[in-house]
Amino acid sequence: MGDRDTAEAESSGRKEGADPGTVPLTGTGSGPARGAEASGAAVPDPADGAHGPATVPPQRGADGADTPGTGTRPRRRRGRVRRVLLGALVLLTVGLLLVGGVAWWAVDHYTGKVDRISGVFPTKVPAAAQPAPSDGGQTFLLVGVDSRSALPTTGRDAKAPEWKYGAQRSDTMMLVHLPADHSGAYVVSLPRDAWVDIPGHGKAKLNASFSWGGPPLLIDTVQRLTKVRVDHLAVIDWDGFKKLTDSVGGVDLVVDGASRHMNGTQALTYVRERHHLARGDFDRTHRQQYFLRTVLAKVMRPSTFSNPLKATEVLDDLTAAVSVDDRLGDGDLRALLWDNKKVRPGNMVFMNAPAKGTGTISGQSVVLLDSGAGAQLWRSMREDALDVYLQSHDADRLGATTP
């Protein structure tokens, strides 16, 4: 049937006097058929209002079917647009994968550079003294090594013997609770001069437990005091944070109502001050909290990571100043960072443990903790309900500024 129709169409064309050289219009918009020119027929001029090359309707053959003409140009243009959009989408996807790959490499690389400490958890603790796991979230014990130590005792730069009896002191102890909903963080400072029971040693200042027995004795002491299970330990070297402060270009701290820009050495002096503060150790712990919040806020600024060289320096100094227990593997640390990726310093609540005041015992200036008020705070931490606790209890919280 197809051959017969074709023959009839050719015969009809010869009868109408068509030029055998006549060809249909093509999608290139090359103009009318040559037969019209040979027969002397007028060729439409686009300027006269006739159809231009882009708008000439499709020609119909003898069988009434549309002959491909300039009407196919919009379809080709749409095809080109789709190809351009598809190419742009592919390039964007590749770019995102590259950025994501670099970001993942950075997380993987730097979590692997964090120093691990072995044997930090107490052993041979009576069952009655072992706290039950919390109802939700995780609790870290954050320890700051006394910056006056002659040698760094933690991090990749550690040179002093690990936890040698009497060789190390801690001037910062904070319980950091990360709630299960990853909505923020709660940081509670334990005064270094708090008068507490130290297992096997009797009553003494809290920081003596670290000096006498390193992390295991400190963790055991804190757990018996608060009944809160310590899930992980993190140790920072204040001297390392001095380098970190310089890496981020210093910090701006409000002191006595005036803003001051401080480099690492000045910030360290600020953190260590205690004798000229109105509330002594209580103001000192707030200074530590204030400095940590400020330097972390600066580390987490987007501008810190806009310069690859600067970002590398900051991350190197940060990971060099921090050590964690060896139960916190690289995968655990990455998961911790991912789960809390939306937490910012503004979502962190800093406070001091409840205390009655200060006193003198055996010639020593000590802090007297409030066991009754403390019991309510520690219970809220165990129950992962510190947000509820703060709604109904007054707490010695860090304000916008500190002395």
Side-chain angles (χ1 to χ4, degrees):
M1 290 291 293
D3 294 339
R4 180 179 177 184
D5 291 341
T6 301
E8 292 176 354
E10 292 175 349
S11 174
S12 175
R14 286 193 295 269
K15 290 177 181 178
E16 293 173 2
D19 189 333
T22 301
V23 294
L25 290 173
T26 65
T28 60
S30 57
R34 295 176 185 173
E37 296 173 342
S39 61
V43 178
D45 186 344
D48 294 335
H51 294 294
T55 57
V56 174
Q59 304 298 305
R60 292 185 178 275
D63 59 356
D66 287 346
T67 303
T70 56
T72 62
R73 171 169 281 190
R75 183 180 300 172
R76 290 195 175 190
R77 285 181 176 174
R78 287 195 297 270
R80 284 196 296 271
V81 170
R82 282 196 296 268
R83 287 194 296 273
V84 171
L85 291 177
L86 181 59
L89 180 60
V90 170
L91 289 175
L92 177 61
T93 302
V94 171
L96 290 175
L97 288 174
L98 287 174
V99 171
V102 171
W104 179 252
W105 173 87
V107 171
D108 182 70
H109 176 70
Y110 283 103
T111 52
K113 294 182 71 173
V114 176
D115 189 54
R116 298 311 200 276
I117 310 170
S118 60
V120 304
F121 292 97
T123 58
K124 300 180 181 179
V125 177
Q130 289 279 12
S134 298
D135 292 343
Q138 294 187 78
T139 301
F140 282 68
L141 178 58
L142 176 64
V143 178
V145 177
D146 196 328
S147 56
R148 288 164 291 188
S149 298
L151 295 173
T153 57
T154 186
R156 291 197 306 275
D157 296 330
K159 295 179 178 61
E162 268 193 344
W163 324 127
K164 183 178 178 181
Y165 184 91
Q168 287 84 24
R169 292 183 297 173
S170 172
D171 62 354
T172 306
M173 285 150 287
M174 303 177 181
L175 281 174
V176 182
H177 184 72
L178 305 176
D181 62 3
H182 313 301
S183 58
Y186 299 90
V187 183
V188 183
S189 285
L190 300 167
R192 53 169 282 171
D193 292 340
W195 194 249
V196 299
D197 283 308
I198 299 178
H201 297 269
K203 289 276 191 177
K205 292 183 179 181
L206 179 59
N207 72 332
S209 62
F210 185 81
S211 178
W212 293 337
L217 186 57
L218 175 61
I219 291 176
D220 191 17
T221 302
V222 170
Q223 288 187 153
R224 293 181 192 236
L225 173 68
T226 64
K227 306 297 188 295
V228 173
R229 170 74 66 87
V230 173
D231 298 301
H232 294 289
L233 175 77
V235 182
I236 63 174
D237 185 347
W238 283 118
D239 189 66
F241 263 69
K242 179 177 70 173
K243 293 176 61 178
L244 177 64
T245 303
D246 289 332
S247 295
V248 297
V251 292
D252 295 315
L253 300 174
V254 177
V255 185
D256 297 328
S259 179
R260 289 180 53 191
H261 183 79
M262 299 185 187
N263 60 25
T265 300
Q266 294 167 329
L268 193 59
T269 301
Y270 168 85
V271 168
R272 290 171 56 180
E273 177 63 43
R274 66 182 300 196
H275 296 296
H276 298 93
L277 301 178
R279 299 193 307 152
D281 214 33
F282 303 113
D283 284 343
R284 187 170 187 261
T285 54
H286 276 328
R287 281 193 169 202
Q288 294 169 350
Q289 295 171 351
Y290 183 36
F291 168 69
L292 282 176
R293 184 181 69 181
T294 304
V295 74
L296 287 176
K298 198 156 187 184
V299 167
M300 298 171 71
R301 284 181 181 177
S303 59
T304 300
F305 299 95
S306 61
N307 184 330
L309 293 178
K310 180 180 180 181
T312 299
E313 180 184 6
V314 169
L315 291 174
D316 277 337
D317 287 340
L318 177 61
T319 54
V322 178
S323 301
V324 297
D325 64 88
D326 60 359
R327 292 185 184 179
L328 193 64
D330 290 353
D332 299 320
L333 194 52
R334 287 193 292 269
L336 183 72
L337 293 172
W338 176 259
D339 290 340
N340 295 279
K341 61 183 179 297
K342 295 183 179 179
V343 176
R344 294 294 181 270
N347 307 124
M348 302 174 70
V349 177
F350 294 86
M351 68 187 93
N352 281 326
K356 295 179 179 179
T358 59
T360 302
I361 300 178
S362 301
Q364 303 178 77
S365 177
V366 301
V367 172
L368 305 173
L369 296 176
D370 188 333
S371 58
Q376 299 176 55
L377 172 63
W378 309 132
R379 183 175 64 250
S380 298
M381 186 174 288
R382 292 193 300 270
E383 296 175 352
D384 195 24
L386 283 169
D387 55 338
V388 178
Y389 170 87
L390 290 172
Q391 292 173 11
S392 55
H393 293 79
D394 290 330
D396 184 13
R397 296 177 59 171
L398 173 66
T401 62
T402 193

